[in-house]
Every structure is written in C-alpha cells, then in structure tokens.
Amino acid sequence: MTSTTIPTVSPFDFRKALSSNKLRGILKMMSDYRLAYLAANLATGLSALAKMITSLVLLRLFAATILGERPPFAGTLERTLLWLALGFVFLAVFEGGFSFLAGRLAAYTAESITRRLRDFLFDHIQRLSFAYHSKTPTGDLIERVTSDVDTLRRFFSEQAIGIGRIVFLFVINFGAIAYLNWKLGLASIIVIPFILAVSVWFFRRVTKAYEQYQEQEAKLSTTLQENLTGVRVVKAFARQAYEIDKFEKDNWEKYLRGKHLLLMHSLFWPLSDIVLGLQMLGGFVFASLLVINGELNVSDYPVYVALVVWLIWPIRNLGRLIVQTSTGLVSYGRLMEIVRQEREALTEGRFQPNGPVRGEIIFENVCFQYDDGQSEVLQDISFVCKPGQAVALLGSTGSGKTSLVNLLPRFHEYTGGRILLDGVELKDYPRAYLRRQIGIVEQEPFLFSRSIRENITYGVGRDVPQAEIEAAARAAAIHDVILSFPAGYDTLVGEKGVTLSGGQKQRVAIARALLKDPRILILDDSTSSVDTETEAEIRAALNRLMQNRTTFIIAHRIQSVMNADLILVMDKGRVVQMGTHEQLLQQDGMYRQIYDIQTKIEAELEEEIASVF
Ligand code: M5T
Ligand code: MG
C-alpha cells in the first residue's frame, strides 16, 4: 500500500448533537455545513424551477403553433420557434448546471459529515470502558457504525437537500396560481392537511418498522460475527447444521421485517397519489366553473393546468420527505446511544505523577463486584507487595485471580477498601499513566493481523531497533520460532499470514509486554500453554526480567510460583493462605495439598517414562 497523506477534516464532537429532539440533533450534526446546505437547497430549487419553466415554454410552443400566438418581439412564426428553441436549450443547461451543483454539494456535505461521524465513533468507542465493551455485542456495534451511519448519509445527501426544491416550487407555483385567481389558489392546496396527516401516520409506522428492522439486522450481524470468530468451535462440535438453522431463522425474521418496512413505503405512495389525484381533479372542475362564471380567462385555463402539476409535485414530495426522514431519525437515535456513553477518563486524575512508579502495591480490604447486585468476586483482600517483589496467585478456576490483577490498570474499579500504589490511592492516578507503567500478558492474548514485528512493538509506540525487538523475543523464547517463518519478523499473523499456536501467541504477547519495559508486570497464566521445557526456559528469562520489577504472576503449577516473594492462595474470591513457598509448605492447607498432588503426579510420570526406556 502506498502511504498517502489524508486530507484532514476538522473534528466535530458529536456529543454536541445529543438532543431529546432527534430532528434538532440531526440539524446540529449539520451545523458546520450550513452554507453548503443553503447553497445546495438553492441549487435544487433553481434547477426544479428551470424544469417547471420548461413546461411553460412548451405551453407557449403550443400557443404559437396551434393558436398562432406570438410574442410581440419575435414577429414571425419561424423567429418565435427559434426563440423558443433557444429558451429550451438555455433552460436545459440551467437546470443541468444547478442539478450538478446540488449533487456535488450534497456529496461533499453528506460524505464530510459521515466521515467525521465515523472518525468520531471509532475514537469514542476506543475510549469507552471495559464494562461497556463486555456488555455490548460486537456485531451490534459494527452494525451501527456501518449501516446506521449510511442511513444518515442518505438523509444528508437526499432528504436534507430536497427541501429547497419543495419550498421553491411550492411558493412560485402557488403564487402564480393565486395571481391568476386567488380562489383557485386556495382550492388547489386544501389537500395539504390530509397529506400531512397521512404522512405523519406513515412516519410513525415506518419509524417503528425501521427500528425493528435495524434491530434484527444487528442481531444477524452479531450471529455472523460470532460464527466467524468462533468457527473453530462450530466445526469442532460439528454444529454447522444448528448454526445454519439459527441463522436462517434470524434471516427469515429479517425478511419479514424488511417486507413489512417496504410494504409501509409502498402503501404510502398510492395512497398519497390517490389523494393528490382527487385534488387535481377537484381543481380542474373548480377552474372550469370559474371559466363558466367568467371569473377566469379561457386562455388561463391551460396555464393553470401546467402550473397545478408543478404545485402537486412539492406537496407529494413533502409527504415523501416526512416518511423517509423517519429512517434517518431512527439511525440518529441508535448512534446516539453509543455517543451518550460516558468515556473512560484517561489523563485526568487527582494525582499527576512525574516519572515512573516505584512499584509498591498495598491492598487494604479490597472488595470488588462487576455489577451492582451481583455477588462479590473479590472479598476483603489485603496484602503488601514491596517494590520489585513478585506476587504469585494460585487458585481454582473462577477464584478471582484475573479479576484481581485487572484492578491494577484500572480496567475495573474496586468497590470496597483501597489499593495504594506508592502510597497514593489507585483511583487518583490517571488511567493512561497506570497503563503505561504496567505491562500485561493477558490470559487469552490477542494479536492483530499485522506483522509479528508490529505486534511486538505495539505497546511502545515508537520505532524500535531490531536488536531490542530480538532481545525481547529471545527472552520470551520465541525468537527462533520467528526466524523459522518465511519472512521472519515481517511475517503476517492471522488471517493473511501464519496461524500461531496458543503458546506461540502467548510468547509473542510476553515479548510485547517485555519490550515496553514496564515497572509493573502482570503475567496472567502466561506459561500455561507452553511445555515444561520451554516453560523452564521462559521462567529463567522471566526471573531475570522480573528483577527490579513488581510482578504479578498467575499460574497453575507450583514450579511457576515457588520463587515468588509472596504467594496468595485464592478460593472463591478470598485469599485463604498467604506466604512464601516455605511458609506455606509448613501449613496444613490448600497449598500443601496442591503441592502434594503435583509432586506425586510428576513422580509417577517420571517413573512411567523411566519404565519405557
Ligand atoms: C472470577 C466473574 C466470573 C467468576 C469471577 C472476567 C470476568 C469475570 N467475572 C465476571 O462476572 N465478569 C468478568 O468480566 O468473576 O473470575 P476470574 O477473575 O476471571 O477468575 P480466575 O482468573 O481466577 O479464573 P481462571 O479460570 O482464569 O483460573 O465467577 O464469572
Ligand atoms: Mg483468569
């Protein structure tokens, strides 16, 4: 890919467009493009006007050839026809020119606003809390950022510039008819309240139908996204038939809702056309009566007929505009549900530290629950970890180990007690600072579909010399593996490149955390999916790296935790035992039980291996 500089677009804070009145909210989104919209509406209006005048010129042509009427300045029939022909050409150019201008302006404004909206949403979503992300289906978010933004784009490029045409044509044609005869003028627009009523009725129905349609579409995209991400599970359990069936059901529901939505739209047209047809007919009859009564000239009758067609057009389109705006409003509402979410404050904090942390961590009666009303995941946890020490967490699955370490970078906020880092409460630190100080290897590390190099240097945000990258990779015992790939460090990971094994992924993640050179290191189960030999290798490397760093290590094997300065044995959200390896072995408790089981298994294993050879 060639690197091109992207023209900047001045950012817009779409939180300013939050409004309980959806239409007002949408208008606020357009506020920076007021002039362009005004010009676009003017252009569509002028272009429609030219089209209308064309039909009047046609009337002149009729008058000139059949009735022999000629404008005084033209003289002969030939010259009249020439003038009319010139008029047609001029009007066509005029109409085309303004229509093109309106199109350009519409494209510019609609694309600019939606580009800013997408940029904003991406940025905003990046800043939302862990809690929000764990509760919101990814497919639903994708749906909103793509499909709903697109619906708004259509509103900005079509509906928002259609108003000019409607207003222009209405005012001019109504004015012209009223000028011919004011009674006739009034009689030609009695339909407006009816059309408005019909439109509003449909507006409500379409709003509801479109809401339901988008909801279902989001459901479908969530199913699709989950199935693609979880394709291995689906295949492993041979559940394709079940998933296909589920998808088909969802898709059928979408079909039904889509059909209903289209039905609403297609019902509106004939209905409004019947009402408007009756209006025209009524107008013609009324105009005839006026002619009979001598209140209207016979020669004005065809003029009225030509004008009334152009008066009905804007009324018809007003209804359409109202109905179509409903989809824009629905999408606005769906997007604002994201925009409304509070961002996680990153740089704000009562305590603004300068320089790196020392790494002293104190837990004082810390309690934590994920949601109000949910039971506590961590209860009354207290311990002290001096700078540079290693704390190991050992415990059954679901005992709260991951939850505990995730409190340190403030992924979640503890709900009771306090955590002190270098004597200052964690809540007072800016999150961004904490996250810079902490290197974390997650239990299920995620790698981007980018090169291995990019993945390793991800956390540092600068150009890193190759030697440094290699040192980190060596320490994580992944360097040799990387060299065995065809493109070495430039090998792409994931969909477009190599598929790494679980252990390899974890080691790339360890290298990524190490390169950051953080003062606090969190290793969540990092050595679980590597074999014993490499585990020893990594442990040796980690032991070197853990020096002068406060480290939290979560592991299941005694060997991984026995060197730690402090071992916390966890069970059901509580620390049930605490101490060094030696201290804990003295006690009669869970730690000794685990130790006994693991040494016994290993001894048996060695015996078995010995018997084979
Ligand atoms: C501890 C619950 C989970 C469990 C308890 C991550 C997470 C966990 N939980 C939530 O309700 N929401 C969440 O987002 O908290 O879970 P843990 O801390 O992940 O346990 P662990 O790390 O000790 O277990 P393991 O299996 O990784 O060894 O009840 O439902
Ligand atoms: Mg865990």
Side-chain angles (χ1 to χ4, degrees), residues 61-96:
L61 184 71
F62 170 79
T65 48
I66 312 281
L67 305 176
E69 274 183 23
R70 274 153 229 171
F73 61 87
T76 62
L77 178 64
E78 285 77 16
R79 290 200 55 172
T80 307
L81 291 179
L82 185 70
W83 273 110
L84 288 173
L86 280 175
F88 274 126
V89 172
F90 172 75
L91 284 168
V93 171
F94 193 86
E95 186 211 328

Short mmCIF file of all heavy atoms in Angstrom, two decimals, residues 61-96:
data_model
loop_
_atom_site.label_atom_id
_atom_site.label_comp_id
_atom_site.label_asym_id
_atom_site.label_seq_id
_atom_site.Cartn_x
_atom_site.Cartn_y
_atom_site.Cartn_z
N LEU A 61 -45.15 27.09 -26.96
CA LEU A 61 -44.95 26.45 -28.25
C LEU A 61 -46.30 26.03 -28.82
O LEU A 61 -46.62 26.25 -29.98
CB LEU A 61 -44.05 25.22 -28.07
CG LEU A 61 -43.65 24.48 -29.35
CD1 LEU A 61 -42.66 25.30 -30.16
CD2 LEU A 61 -43.04 23.12 -29.01
N PHE A 62 -47.08 25.45 -27.95
CA PHE A 62 -48.43 25.02 -28.30
C PHE A 62 -49.24 26.24 -28.77
O PHE A 62 -49.88 26.22 -29.83
CB PHE A 62 -49.04 24.37 -27.06
CG PHE A 62 -50.50 24.07 -27.16
CD1 PHE A 62 -50.94 22.95 -27.87
CD2 PHE A 62 -51.45 24.88 -26.52
CE1 PHE A 62 -52.29 22.67 -27.95
CE2 PHE A 62 -52.80 24.59 -26.61
CZ PHE A 62 -53.21 23.48 -27.32
N ALA A 63 -49.15 27.32 -27.99
CA ALA A 63 -49.91 28.52 -28.31
C ALA A 63 -49.45 29.12 -29.65
O ALA A 63 -50.26 29.60 -30.44
CB ALA A 63 -49.77 29.55 -27.20
N ALA A 64 -48.15 29.06 -29.89
CA ALA A 64 -47.60 29.67 -31.09
C ALA A 64 -48.02 28.88 -32.33
O ALA A 64 -48.41 29.46 -33.35
CB ALA A 64 -46.08 29.73 -30.99
N THR A 65 -47.92 27.56 -32.26
CA THR A 65 -48.19 26.76 -33.45
C THR A 65 -49.68 26.55 -33.68
O THR A 65 -50.17 26.70 -34.78
CB THR A 65 -47.48 25.40 -33.38
OG1 THR A 65 -47.75 24.84 -32.10
CG2 THR A 65 -46.00 25.53 -33.59
N ILE A 66 -50.44 26.23 -32.66
CA ILE A 66 -51.86 25.93 -32.85
C ILE A 66 -52.70 27.20 -32.86
O ILE A 66 -53.51 27.43 -33.75
CB ILE A 66 -52.38 24.98 -31.74
CG1 ILE A 66 -51.46 23.79 -31.54
CG2 ILE A 66 -53.82 24.55 -32.04
CD1 ILE A 66 -51.58 22.67 -32.54
N LEU A 67 -52.47 28.05 -31.86
CA LEU A 67 -53.31 29.23 -31.74
C LEU A 67 -52.74 30.43 -32.49
O LEU A 67 -53.39 31.47 -32.59
CB LEU A 67 -53.54 29.59 -30.26
CG LEU A 67 -54.10 28.47 -29.38
CD1 LEU A 67 -54.18 28.92 -27.93
CD2 LEU A 67 -55.51 28.05 -29.85
N GLY A 68 -51.49 30.30 -32.96
CA GLY A 68 -50.89 31.39 -33.71
C GLY A 68 -50.49 32.58 -32.86
O GLY A 68 -50.28 33.67 -33.34
N GLU A 69 -50.38 32.35 -31.55
CA GLU A 69 -49.96 33.46 -30.67
C GLU A 69 -48.45 33.67 -30.79
O GLU A 69 -47.69 32.71 -30.72
CB GLU A 69 -50.29 33.11 -29.21
CG GLU A 69 -51.68 33.48 -28.81
CD GLU A 69 -51.93 33.18 -27.35
OE1 GLU A 69 -50.96 33.10 -26.58
OE2 GLU A 69 -53.12 33.00 -27.00
N ARG A 70 -48.07 34.88 -30.92
CA ARG A 70 -46.63 35.15 -31.00
C ARG A 70 -46.29 36.31 -30.09
O ARG A 70 -47.02 37.32 -30.08
CB ARG A 70 -46.24 35.54 -32.43
CG ARG A 70 -45.97 34.33 -33.28
CD ARG A 70 -46.24 34.62 -34.74
NE ARG A 70 -47.07 33.56 -35.28
CZ ARG A 70 -47.62 33.60 -36.46
NH1 ARG A 70 -47.47 34.66 -37.23
NH2 ARG A 70 -48.34 32.60 -36.88
N PRO A 71 -45.17 36.20 -29.37
CA PRO A 71 -44.77 37.34 -28.55
C PRO A 71 -44.43 38.51 -29.48
O PRO A 71 -43.89 38.29 -30.58
CB PRO A 71 -43.52 36.85 -27.80
CG PRO A 71 -43.25 35.47 -28.28
CD PRO A 71 -44.25 35.07 -29.29
N PRO A 72 -44.72 39.73 -29.10
CA PRO A 72 -44.53 40.88 -29.99
C PRO A 72 -43.10 41.02 -30.49
O PRO A 72 -42.89 41.37 -31.65
CB PRO A 72 -44.94 42.08 -29.13
CG PRO A 72 -45.10 41.56 -27.73
CD PRO A 72 -45.32 40.10 -27.82
N PHE A 73 -42.11 40.68 -29.61
CA PHE A 73 -40.72 40.90 -30.04
C PHE A 73 -40.27 39.88 -31.08
O PHE A 73 -39.33 40.07 -31.81
CB PHE A 73 -39.76 40.91 -28.84
CG PHE A 73 -39.74 39.60 -28.08
CD1 PHE A 73 -38.89 38.57 -28.48
CD2 PHE A 73 -40.58 39.41 -26.99
CE1 PHE A 73 -38.89 37.39 -27.78
CE2 PHE A 73 -40.57 38.22 -26.29
CZ PHE A 73 -39.73 37.20 -26.68
N ALA A 74 -40.96 38.73 -31.19
CA ALA A 74 -40.48 37.67 -32.06
C ALA A 74 -40.89 37.88 -33.52
O ALA A 74 -40.12 37.64 -34.44
CB ALA A 74 -41.01 36.33 -31.57
N GLY A 75 -42.09 38.38 -33.73
CA GLY A 75 -42.52 38.62 -35.11
C GLY A 75 -43.02 37.36 -35.78
O GLY A 75 -44.06 36.81 -35.40
N THR A 76 -42.24 36.83 -36.69
CA THR A 76 -42.71 35.69 -37.49
C THR A 76 -42.77 34.41 -36.67
O THR A 76 -42.15 34.31 -35.61
CB THR A 76 -41.77 35.44 -38.69
OG1 THR A 76 -40.50 35.12 -38.14
CG2 THR A 76 -41.68 36.65 -39.58
N LEU A 77 -43.46 33.41 -37.23
CA LEU A 77 -43.56 32.11 -36.56
C LEU A 77 -42.18 31.47 -36.45
O LEU A 77 -41.81 30.92 -35.40
CB LEU A 77 -44.51 31.20 -37.35
CG LEU A 77 -44.67 29.79 -36.80
CD1 LEU A 77 -45.31 29.81 -35.41
CD2 LEU A 77 -45.52 28.94 -37.74
N GLU A 78 -41.39 31.60 -37.54
CA GLU A 78 -40.05 31.00 -37.52
C GLU A 78 -39.21 31.57 -36.39
O GLU A 78 -38.56 30.85 -35.65
CB GLU A 78 -39.33 31.23 -38.86
CG GLU A 78 -39.79 30.39 -40.01
CD GLU A 78 -41.12 30.89 -40.58
OE1 GLU A 78 -41.49 32.07 -40.27
OE2 GLU A 78 -41.80 30.12 -41.27
N ARG A 79 -39.29 32.90 -36.31
CA ARG A 79 -38.46 33.54 -35.27
C ARG A 79 -38.97 33.14 -33.88
O ARG A 79 -38.18 32.94 -32.96
CB ARG A 79 -38.49 35.05 -35.44
CG ARG A 79 -37.72 35.44 -36.71
CD ARG A 79 -37.32 36.87 -36.68
NE ARG A 79 -36.54 37.20 -35.49
CZ ARG A 79 -35.95 38.37 -35.32
NH1 ARG A 79 -36.09 39.29 -36.24
NH2 ARG A 79 -35.28 38.62 -34.22
N THR A 80 -40.29 33.04 -33.75
CA THR A 80 -40.84 32.62 -32.45
C THR A 80 -40.31 31.24 -32.09
O THR A 80 -39.85 30.99 -30.97
CB THR A 80 -42.38 32.55 -32.53
OG1 THR A 80 -42.86 33.78 -33.01
CG2 THR A 80 -42.97 32.26 -31.16
N LEU A 81 -40.35 30.35 -33.08
CA LEU A 81 -39.87 28.98 -32.81
C LEU A 81 -38.40 28.99 -32.44
O LEU A 81 -37.95 28.25 -31.56
CB LEU A 81 -40.12 28.09 -34.03
CG LEU A 81 -41.60 27.77 -34.30
CD1 LEU A 81 -41.74 26.91 -35.53
CD2 LEU A 81 -42.23 27.08 -33.09
N LEU A 82 -37.63 29.85 -33.12
CA LEU A 82 -36.20 29.94 -32.82
C LEU A 82 -35.99 30.39 -31.38
O LEU A 82 -35.19 29.82 -30.63
CB LEU A 82 -35.54 30.93 -33.79
CG LEU A 82 -34.02 31.03 -33.65
CD1 LEU A 82 -33.36 29.74 -34.15
CD2 LEU A 82 -33.48 32.24 -34.42
N TRP A 83 -36.73 31.41 -30.99
CA TRP A 83 -36.63 31.91 -29.60
C TRP A 83 -36.98 30.80 -28.60
O TRP A 83 -36.29 30.62 -27.59
CB TRP A 83 -37.58 33.08 -29.39
CG TRP A 83 -36.97 34.41 -29.77
CD1 TRP A 83 -37.29 35.19 -30.84
CD2 TRP A 83 -35.92 35.08 -29.08
NE1 TRP A 83 -36.51 36.30 -30.89
CE2 TRP A 83 -35.64 36.26 -29.81
CE3 TRP A 83 -35.16 34.80 -27.94
CZ2 TRP A 83 -34.66 37.17 -29.43
CZ3 TRP A 83 -34.19 35.71 -27.55
CH2 TRP A 83 -33.94 36.87 -28.30
N LEU A 84 -38.06 30.09 -28.95
CA LEU A 84 -38.48 29.02 -28.03
C LEU A 84 -37.42 27.94 -27.93
O LEU A 84 -37.11 27.45 -26.84
CB LEU A 84 -39.81 28.42 -28.49
CG LEU A 84 -41.03 29.32 -28.28
CD1 LEU A 84 -42.26 28.71 -28.91
CD2 LEU A 84 -41.26 29.54 -26.78
N ALA A 85 -36.84 27.61 -29.09
CA ALA A 85 -35.79 26.58 -29.10
C ALA A 85 -34.62 27.02 -28.24
O ALA A 85 -34.09 26.25 -27.42
CB ALA A 85 -35.34 26.30 -30.53
N LEU A 86 -34.23 28.29 -28.42
CA LEU A 86 -33.13 28.81 -27.61
C LEU A 86 -33.48 28.74 -26.13
O LEU A 86 -32.65 28.41 -25.28
CB LEU A 86 -32.83 30.26 -28.00
CG LEU A 86 -31.98 30.43 -29.27
CD1 LEU A 86 -31.84 31.91 -29.61
CD2 LEU A 86 -30.60 29.81 -29.06
N GLY A 87 -34.74 29.08 -25.85
CA GLY A 87 -35.21 29.04 -24.46
C GLY A 87 -35.07 27.64 -23.89
O GLY A 87 -34.55 27.46 -22.77
N PHE A 88 -35.46 26.62 -24.67
CA PHE A 88 -35.34 25.23 -24.21
C PHE A 88 -33.90 24.88 -23.86
O PHE A 88 -33.60 24.31 -22.80
CB PHE A 88 -35.83 24.27 -25.30
CG PHE A 88 -37.31 24.04 -25.25
CD1 PHE A 88 -38.11 24.25 -26.38
CD2 PHE A 88 -37.92 23.60 -24.08
CE1 PHE A 88 -39.48 24.05 -26.34
CE2 PHE A 88 -39.29 23.39 -24.04
CZ PHE A 88 -40.08 23.62 -25.17
N VAL A 89 -33.00 25.27 -24.81
CA VAL A 89 -31.58 24.93 -24.60
C VAL A 89 -31.07 25.62 -23.34
O VAL A 89 -30.45 25.00 -22.47
CB VAL A 89 -30.74 25.34 -25.82
CG1 VAL A 89 -29.25 25.16 -25.53
CG2 VAL A 89 -31.15 24.53 -27.04
N PHE A 90 -31.39 26.89 -23.22
CA PHE A 90 -30.91 27.65 -22.06
C PHE A 90 -31.42 27.01 -20.75
O PHE A 90 -30.66 26.79 -19.81
CB PHE A 90 -31.38 29.10 -22.16
CG PHE A 90 -31.09 29.89 -20.92
CD1 PHE A 90 -29.79 30.32 -20.64
CD2 PHE A 90 -32.10 30.18 -20.01
CE1 PHE A 90 -29.52 31.02 -19.49
CE2 PHE A 90 -31.83 30.89 -18.85
CZ PHE A 90 -30.54 31.31 -18.59
N LEU A 91 -32.70 26.69 -20.76
CA LEU A 91 -33.29 26.12 -19.54
C LEU A 91 -32.68 24.76 -19.20
O LEU A 91 -32.43 24.45 -18.04
CB LEU A 91 -34.81 25.97 -19.71
CG LEU A 91 -35.59 27.27 -19.59
CD1 LEU A 91 -37.02 27.08 -20.05
CD2 LEU A 91 -35.56 27.79 -18.15
N ALA A 92 -32.41 24.00 -20.27
CA ALA A 92 -31.82 22.68 -20.03
C ALA A 92 -30.45 22.82 -19.40
O ALA A 92 -30.09 22.11 -18.43
CB ALA A 92 -31.74 21.89 -21.33
N VAL A 93 -29.65 23.77 -19.93
CA VAL A 93 -28.30 23.98 -19.37
C VAL A 93 -28.41 24.47 -17.93
O VAL A 93 -27.69 24.01 -17.03
CB VAL A 93 -27.52 25.00 -20.25
CG1 VAL A 93 -26.22 25.39 -19.57
CG2 VAL A 93 -27.27 24.41 -21.63
N PHE A 94 -29.32 25.39 -17.72
CA PHE A 94 -29.54 25.96 -16.40
C PHE A 94 -29.92 24.86 -15.39
O PHE A 94 -29.32 24.72 -14.33
CB PHE A 94 -30.68 26.98 -16.52
CG PHE A 94 -30.84 27.87 -15.33
CD1 PHE A 94 -30.11 29.04 -15.20
CD2 PHE A 94 -31.77 27.55 -14.33
CE1 PHE A 94 -30.27 29.86 -14.11
CE2 PHE A 94 -31.93 28.37 -13.23
CZ PHE A 94 -31.19 29.53 -13.13
N GLU A 95 -30.88 24.07 -15.83
CA GLU A 95 -31.36 23.00 -14.94
C GLU A 95 -30.25 22.00 -14.64
O GLU A 95 -29.98 21.65 -13.49
CB GLU A 95 -32.54 22.27 -15.59
CG GLU A 95 -33.18 21.27 -14.67
CD GLU A 95 -33.76 20.07 -15.41
OE1 GLU A 95 -34.22 20.22 -16.56
OE2 GLU A 95 -33.72 18.97 -14.83
N GLY A 96 -29.57 21.57 -15.73
CA GLY A 96 -28.49 20.59 -15.57
C GLY A 96 -27.38 21.13 -14.69
O GLY A 96 -26.88 20.44 -13.80
#
